Amino acid sequence: MLHPRIQEVTERVIERSKETRQAYLDRIAHAKKQTRVRAGLGCGNIAHVMAACSSDDKARLKADEQPNLAIINAYNDMLSAHVPYKEYPDLIKTIATKYDATAQVAGGVPAMCDGVTQGRDGMELSLFSRDVIAMSTAVSLSHDVFDGVFCLGVCDKIVPGLLIGALSFGHLPTYFLPAGPMQSGIPNKEKARVRQKFAQGLVSREELLEAESASYHSAGTCTFYGTANSNQMLMEIMGLHLPGSSFINPYTELRDGLTGHAVETMLKQLIDTKDANCLADVVSEKTIINGLVGLLSTGGSTNHAIHLVAIAKAAGVILTWKDMADLSEVVPLLTRIYPNGSADVNHFQAAGGMGFLMKQLLSKGYLHNDVKTIVGDGLEAYTTEPMLDKDSSVIMTNSTGPSKVKWVACPEKSHDEDVLRPIDNPFSKQGGLQLLTGNFGKAVIKVSAVAESHQIVSAPAKVFSSQGELQEAYSRGELNTDFIAVIKEQGPKAKGMPELHKLTPVMATLQDQGYKVAIVTDGRMSGASGKVPAAIHLAPEAVEGGVIAKIHEGDLVTLDAPAGVLKVHVSDEELAKRELQLSQPSQTYGTGRELFAGFRNIVSSADLGASAFGLE
C-alpha cells in the first residue's frame, strides 16, 4: 500500500500537470512516429555523419540496420569526478562493434567544479552552467542520427543539465553511466576541524592545503554527500542507472563490468527484444516523486530544491517546494552521511547502499513501484546489489545476455546503523528539507545536519552584500555575539545564485563558541550545507525588491525551522517606508557579467509561476 501522503502529493502533481505533461507526451509521440532517423536523411547529411568513421562503421551506418548510440560526455582532466570518463567512449564503441552497431561521441558539455570556484567570480556562472549543459546536450542530439543515448556526467549542475537536455529527445532510450566516488580520505570531521582552525587563524595555509589534499586525493567523485552524490542517488532511484551502480569506485573490475553491462543491456533491448523504455516513459510524475523521496530520506543536497523542479518541468511535470515540504513531513531520514554525519558515501555503500535504502522505502509504501526504468518495469531489480561473477553468465532481472556482473539480494539488515537505518528505526521521522515562509518570502532549509537545539534562532540581523564582507567583519572581531547573517544580492538575477561555502567555517566556529547564529540569503549553500541553520534560495531576491533588501542592521529576525517560519519583526508600514528608500544594489558583478546578462534578463525569483524555482 502506498503511503497516504505520497499518494496525495502524487495525485495533485498529476492533476496540476495534466496539460503540460500531455503536451510533452504529444511531442514525444510525434517524434516516435517519424521515419527511422537515418532513413530520412539525405546523402549529404549521412556523408557528414560518417566522414571520419572507420570503413567498417561506414558500412554499418550506410546499411542503417543496427543502432547508432550517442555519447554525451562531460569528461575533462581537471575535474576528478569526470576523469574516469576518458576511457568510456572507447569501451562503449568496442562493445557496440561486437553487436554490429556503432557509437559516436555526439557532443561534450562543460563541467565546471564548484570546489574550485568557491568564493571566486567563476561561481557566478555555476548555476547558469546547468542551462548551458542542457542546451549543449540538446544541440548534440539534434543531429537526429541516434537510436539511444549514454550520458556521462556526475557532478552538481552537470547531471541535471544532461537530463533536462535529453528530455527534449525523450523518445530515445537514455542511460546515465556513473563513474563512482574516490576512495575515502581523511575523516570528514578532521577536514571540518582544520577548516575551522584556519578560519580562526590557528593553522597555516600549508596545513589547510595538506588536509584538503588528503580529502580530495584521486580520480572519482568527492566522497561527502553533496550535490554530486545526491545526483547519483537520484539517477538510481529514478531508474536511470543500473541497480546498485552509483557508488562503485572507479578503475575497479566491478565498475568496468557495470559500464560494459549497461552498454550490452541497451544494445540487446534495441536489437533483440525491441523493448527499450524511452526516457519520456521512465521520467514520469511518479518517478519525480520517487526522486524527491530519495532526496528527503537521505538528507540530500538543497540544490535539488531547484534542479528537481527544473527536471520535472522539462518532462512537463509541475513540482513545487510545497510538494517537497509536505513529503518531508512524513518521509523518514534513513542515512547519516557527511555533512549530516561523519560517514562518507563509501561507508554508505558498505552499510547496504541504494539496494537496502530502496527496499526499506518500498516496504512501507514510500516509493511508487508502478514505474518504468532502464531495465524494465518496477523497482524490484533495484533492491539488489551487483557483484563480479567470473564463472557464469548470470544476469540481472529484465536484462538479457552474458555479463561479468551478477545481482544478488541486498542485505536484510544494515551493516552499520550509524550510517544507514531500517525504516522502523529512522534517524528522524521527517526528511531533510523544510520550506520556510513568512514576511521575508519563501526559502528552504536543510535540517538533517542541524541539531535540534540550533533549529530555532531569533536574533538581531547583521546585513552583508557578500560573503567576503562577513569574513572581514569576523576578522575584525565584530561577530562575537548572537546574530542572523543576512547575505543579500546573491540571487539568480543578481549574480547567478552562487554557493556561499566560505560562510560555513566562520559561522560554525561562532556556533561552537556558544553564540546563536543563522544565515538568511537569496544565494545558495548547496549539498555541503552543514550544522549552521541556513535559510537559502530566498525569493523574491534583493535586486527585485524582496524584503531581504529592506532589512536593516539590528532588525530582529526569527528562523524557526520546526514551525517553517522565517520572519523579520518589522511592521508592514515600516517595510513599506523602506521600499521608498531602497537604493541601487551595492553588488558589482564579476567576470561573468557579459555572458550572464542574458540569463539575468530571463530568470526571476519573483516571477514564481514561470521560473525554474517552481514556487507556489
Side-chain angles (χ1 to χ4, degrees), residues 352-375:
M354 289 298 299
F356 182 86
L357 175 76
M358 291 179 68
K359 186 172 183 178
Q360 293 298 307
L361 292 170
L362 278 167
S363 71
K364 298 295 183 180
Y366 287 100
L367 294 177
H368 291 281
N369 199 25
D370 54 337
V371 293
K372 296 182 182 298
T373 75
I374 63 171
V375 297

mmCIF file of all heavy atoms in Angstrom, residues 352-375:
data_model
loop_
_atom_site.group_PDB
_atom_site.id
_atom_site.type_symbol
_atom_site.label_atom_id
_atom_site.label_comp_id
_atom_site.label_asym_id
_atom_site.label_seq_id
_atom_site.Cartn_x
_atom_site.Cartn_y
_atom_site.Cartn_z
ATOM 1 N N GLY A 352 25.118 -1.062 3.068
ATOM 2 C CA GLY A 352 23.964 -1.644 2.369
ATOM 3 C C GLY A 352 23.570 -0.881 1.130
ATOM 4 O O GLY A 352 22.911 -1.418 0.246
ATOM 5 N N GLY A 353 23.951 0.389 1.071
ATOM 6 C CA GLY A 353 23.806 1.180 -0.131
ATOM 7 C C GLY A 353 22.378 1.379 -0.610
ATOM 8 O O GLY A 353 21.405 1.275 0.141
ATOM 9 N N MET A 354 22.264 1.660 -1.904
ATOM 10 C CA MET A 354 20.981 2.001 -2.500
ATOM 11 C C MET A 354 19.994 0.840 -2.471
ATOM 12 O O MET A 354 18.788 1.053 -2.323
ATOM 13 C CB MET A 354 21.190 2.461 -3.943
ATOM 14 C CG MET A 354 21.864 3.821 -4.074
ATOM 15 S SD MET A 354 20.893 5.171 -3.348
ATOM 16 C CE MET A 354 19.403 5.094 -4.334
ATOM 17 N N GLY A 355 20.483 -0.388 -2.597
ATOM 18 C CA GLY A 355 19.578 -1.542 -2.582
ATOM 19 C C GLY A 355 18.824 -1.642 -1.271
ATOM 20 O O GLY A 355 17.596 -1.833 -1.239
ATOM 21 N N PHE A 356 19.553 -1.519 -0.147
ATOM 22 C CA PHE A 356 18.918 -1.576 1.161
ATOM 23 C C PHE A 356 17.978 -0.389 1.342
ATOM 24 O O PHE A 356 16.846 -0.540 1.831
ATOM 25 C CB PHE A 356 19.980 -1.584 2.252
ATOM 26 C CG PHE A 356 19.419 -1.684 3.651
ATOM 27 C CD1 PHE A 356 19.128 -2.922 4.204
ATOM 28 C CD2 PHE A 356 19.163 -0.543 4.397
ATOM 29 C CE1 PHE A 356 18.603 -3.017 5.490
ATOM 30 C CE2 PHE A 356 18.640 -0.622 5.681
ATOM 31 C CZ PHE A 356 18.352 -1.869 6.230
ATOM 32 N N LEU A 357 18.432 0.809 0.977
ATOM 33 C CA LEU A 357 17.606 2.007 1.126
ATOM 34 C C LEU A 357 16.291 1.860 0.370
ATOM 35 O O LEU A 357 15.206 2.105 0.925
ATOM 36 C CB LEU A 357 18.375 3.231 0.609
ATOM 37 C CG LEU A 357 17.588 4.538 0.587
ATOM 38 C CD1 LEU A 357 17.460 5.122 1.989
ATOM 39 C CD2 LEU A 357 18.257 5.556 -0.346
ATOM 40 N N MET A 358 16.367 1.456 -0.889
ATOM 41 C CA MET A 358 15.153 1.378 -1.707
ATOM 42 C C MET A 358 14.235 0.257 -1.235
ATOM 43 O O MET A 358 13.006 0.388 -1.276
ATOM 44 C CB MET A 358 15.533 1.229 -3.174
ATOM 45 C CG MET A 358 16.173 2.491 -3.731
ATOM 46 S SD MET A 358 16.665 2.376 -5.468
ATOM 47 C CE MET A 358 15.061 2.289 -6.270
ATOM 48 N N LYS A 359 14.806 -0.836 -0.765
ATOM 49 C CA LYS A 359 13.974 -1.919 -0.239
ATOM 50 C C LYS A 359 13.204 -1.447 0.988
ATOM 51 O O LYS A 359 12.017 -1.770 1.159
ATOM 52 C CB LYS A 359 14.840 -3.128 0.110
ATOM 53 C CG LYS A 359 14.039 -4.357 0.522
ATOM 54 C CD LYS A 359 14.933 -5.574 0.671
ATOM 55 C CE LYS A 359 14.106 -6.811 1.002
ATOM 56 N NZ LYS A 359 14.961 -8.018 1.097
ATOM 57 N N GLN A 360 13.854 -0.684 1.844
ATOM 58 C CA GLN A 360 13.188 -0.173 3.029
ATOM 59 C C GLN A 360 12.071 0.800 2.664
ATOM 60 O O GLN A 360 10.960 0.737 3.209
ATOM 61 C CB GLN A 360 14.206 0.515 3.947
ATOM 62 C CG GLN A 360 15.233 -0.422 4.563
ATOM 63 C CD GLN A 360 14.594 -1.471 5.458
ATOM 64 O OE1 GLN A 360 13.830 -1.149 6.369
ATOM 65 N NE2 GLN A 360 14.882 -2.728 5.181
ATOM 66 N N LEU A 361 12.334 1.698 1.747
ATOM 67 C CA LEU A 361 11.321 2.672 1.333
ATOM 68 C C LEU A 361 10.142 1.993 0.648
ATOM 69 O O LEU A 361 8.979 2.374 0.866
ATOM 70 C CB LEU A 361 11.955 3.717 0.409
ATOM 71 C CG LEU A 361 12.962 4.668 1.063
ATOM 72 C CD1 LEU A 361 13.690 5.484 0.014
ATOM 73 C CD2 LEU A 361 12.283 5.593 2.071
ATOM 74 N N LEU A 362 10.415 0.987 -0.148
ATOM 75 C CA LEU A 362 9.333 0.240 -0.809
ATOM 76 C C LEU A 362 8.470 -0.511 0.203
ATOM 77 O O LEU A 362 7.249 -0.610 0.040
ATOM 78 C CB LEU A 362 9.911 -0.741 -1.822
ATOM 79 C CG LEU A 362 10.292 -0.187 -3.191
ATOM 80 C CD1 LEU A 362 11.141 -1.191 -3.952
ATOM 81 C CD2 LEU A 362 9.047 0.176 -4.001
ATOM 82 N N SER A 363 9.106 -1.018 1.256
ATOM 83 C CA SER A 363 8.391 -1.878 2.203
ATOM 84 C C SER A 363 7.262 -1.161 2.921
ATOM 85 O O SER A 363 6.288 -1.782 3.357
ATOM 86 C CB SER A 363 9.373 -2.466 3.230
ATOM 87 O OG SER A 363 9.838 -1.457 4.126
ATOM 88 N N LYS A 364 7.359 0.171 3.048
ATOM 89 C CA LYS A 364 6.329 0.940 3.749
ATOM 90 C C LYS A 364 5.585 1.897 2.817
ATOM 91 O O LYS A 364 4.903 2.816 3.277
ATOM 92 C CB LYS A 364 6.951 1.734 4.901
ATOM 93 C CG LYS A 364 7.592 0.859 5.979
ATOM 94 C CD LYS A 364 6.552 -0.010 6.707
ATOM 95 C CE LYS A 364 7.202 -0.804 7.826
ATOM 96 N NZ LYS A 364 6.220 -1.659 8.540
ATOM 97 N N GLY A 365 5.713 1.670 1.521
ATOM 98 C CA GLY A 365 4.917 2.436 0.577
ATOM 99 C C GLY A 365 5.378 3.852 0.325
ATOM 100 O O GLY A 365 4.584 4.710 -0.063
ATOM 101 N N TYR A 366 6.670 4.124 0.499
ATOM 102 C CA TYR A 366 7.174 5.469 0.245
ATOM 103 C C TYR A 366 7.611 5.675 -1.202
ATOM 104 O O TYR A 366 7.890 6.809 -1.596
ATOM 105 C CB TYR A 366 8.345 5.779 1.184
ATOM 106 C CG TYR A 366 7.915 6.020 2.611
ATOM 107 C CD1 TYR A 366 8.018 5.025 3.573
ATOM 108 C CD2 TYR A 366 7.383 7.246 2.998
ATOM 109 C CE1 TYR A 366 7.615 5.235 4.888
ATOM 110 C CE2 TYR A 366 6.979 7.473 4.305
ATOM 111 C CZ TYR A 366 7.092 6.456 5.246
ATOM 112 O OH TYR A 366 6.680 6.683 6.538
ATOM 113 N N LEU A 367 7.699 4.605 -1.975
ATOM 114 C CA LEU A 367 8.078 4.708 -3.378
ATOM 115 C C LEU A 367 6.991 4.116 -4.262
ATOM 116 O O LEU A 367 6.364 3.108 -3.909
ATOM 117 C CB LEU A 367 9.393 3.964 -3.652
ATOM 118 C CG LEU A 367 10.665 4.498 -3.013
ATOM 119 C CD1 LEU A 367 11.836 3.582 -3.332
ATOM 120 C CD2 LEU A 367 10.963 5.923 -3.469
ATOM 121 N N HIS A 368 6.789 4.728 -5.420
ATOM 122 C CA HIS A 368 5.922 4.140 -6.440
ATOM 123 C C HIS A 368 6.662 2.981 -7.101
ATOM 124 O O HIS A 368 7.781 3.156 -7.609
ATOM 125 C CB HIS A 368 5.580 5.186 -7.502
ATOM 126 C CG HIS A 368 4.688 6.280 -7.016
ATOM 127 N ND1 HIS A 368 3.330 6.130 -6.887
ATOM 128 C CD2 HIS A 368 4.972 7.551 -6.630
ATOM 129 C CE1 HIS A 368 2.798 7.262 -6.442
ATOM 130 N NE2 HIS A 368 3.776 8.143 -6.276
ATOM 131 N N ASN A 369 6.047 1.818 -7.110
ATOM 132 C CA ASN A 369 6.658 0.668 -7.771
ATOM 133 C C ASN A 369 6.135 0.480 -9.190
ATOM 134 O O ASN A 369 6.715 -0.274 -9.973
ATOM 135 C CB ASN A 369 6.411 -0.609 -6.957
ATOM 136 C CG ASN A 369 7.366 -1.719 -7.320
ATOM 137 O OD1 ASN A 369 8.477 -1.467 -7.800
ATOM 138 N ND2 ASN A 369 6.951 -2.960 -7.116
ATOM 139 N N ASP A 370 5.053 1.150 -9.544
ATOM 140 C CA ASP A 370 4.493 1.029 -10.888
ATOM 141 C C ASP A 370 5.116 2.080 -11.812
ATOM 142 O O ASP A 370 4.446 2.966 -12.355
ATOM 143 C CB ASP A 370 2.975 1.142 -10.864
ATOM 144 C CG ASP A 370 2.478 2.406 -10.172
ATOM 145 O OD1 ASP A 370 3.231 2.978 -9.350
ATOM 146 O OD2 ASP A 370 1.338 2.815 -10.452
ATOM 147 N N VAL A 371 6.432 1.995 -11.950
ATOM 148 C CA VAL A 371 7.192 2.907 -12.805
ATOM 149 C C VAL A 371 8.044 2.094 -13.766
ATOM 150 O O VAL A 371 8.269 0.898 -13.571
ATOM 151 C CB VAL A 371 8.107 3.830 -11.967
ATOM 152 C CG1 VAL A 371 7.286 4.785 -11.129
ATOM 153 C CG2 VAL A 371 9.062 3.016 -11.090
ATOM 154 N N LYS A 372 8.510 2.755 -14.805
ATOM 155 C CA LYS A 372 9.426 2.133 -15.751
ATOM 156 C C LYS A 372 10.852 2.570 -15.443
ATOM 157 O O LYS A 372 11.081 3.678 -14.952
ATOM 158 C CB LYS A 372 9.047 2.512 -17.185
ATOM 159 C CG LYS A 372 7.682 1.993 -17.631
ATOM 160 C CD LYS A 372 7.394 2.360 -19.066
ATOM 161 C CE LYS A 372 6.015 1.878 -19.502
ATOM 162 N NZ LYS A 372 5.903 0.407 -19.446
ATOM 163 N N THR A 373 11.802 1.700 -15.728
ATOM 164 C CA THR A 373 13.217 2.008 -15.540
ATOM 165 C C THR A 373 13.974 1.583 -16.786
ATOM 166 O O THR A 373 13.395 0.991 -17.708
ATOM 167 C CB THR A 373 13.801 1.268 -14.319
ATOM 168 O OG1 THR A 373 13.998 -0.119 -14.652
ATOM 169 C CG2 THR A 373 12.876 1.369 -13.111
ATOM 170 N N ILE A 374 15.265 1.837 -16.811
ATOM 171 C CA ILE A 374 16.049 1.432 -17.982
ATOM 172 C C ILE A 374 16.177 -0.079 -18.095
ATOM 173 O O ILE A 374 16.538 -0.592 -19.153
ATOM 174 C CB ILE A 374 17.448 2.083 -17.993
ATOM 175 C CG1 ILE A 374 18.278 1.623 -16.792
ATOM 176 C CG2 ILE A 374 17.343 3.585 -18.068
ATOM 177 C CD1 ILE A 374 19.740 2.048 -16.859
ATOM 178 N N VAL A 375 15.874 -0.817 -17.002
ATOM 179 C CA VAL A 375 15.991 -2.277 -17.060
ATOM 180 C C VAL A 375 14.635 -2.971 -17.045
ATOM 181 O O VAL A 375 14.574 -4.185 -16.924
ATOM 182 C CB VAL A 375 16.879 -2.822 -15.919
ATOM 183 C CG1 VAL A 375 18.292 -2.298 -16.045
ATOM 184 C CG2 VAL A 375 16.300 -2.480 -14.547
#
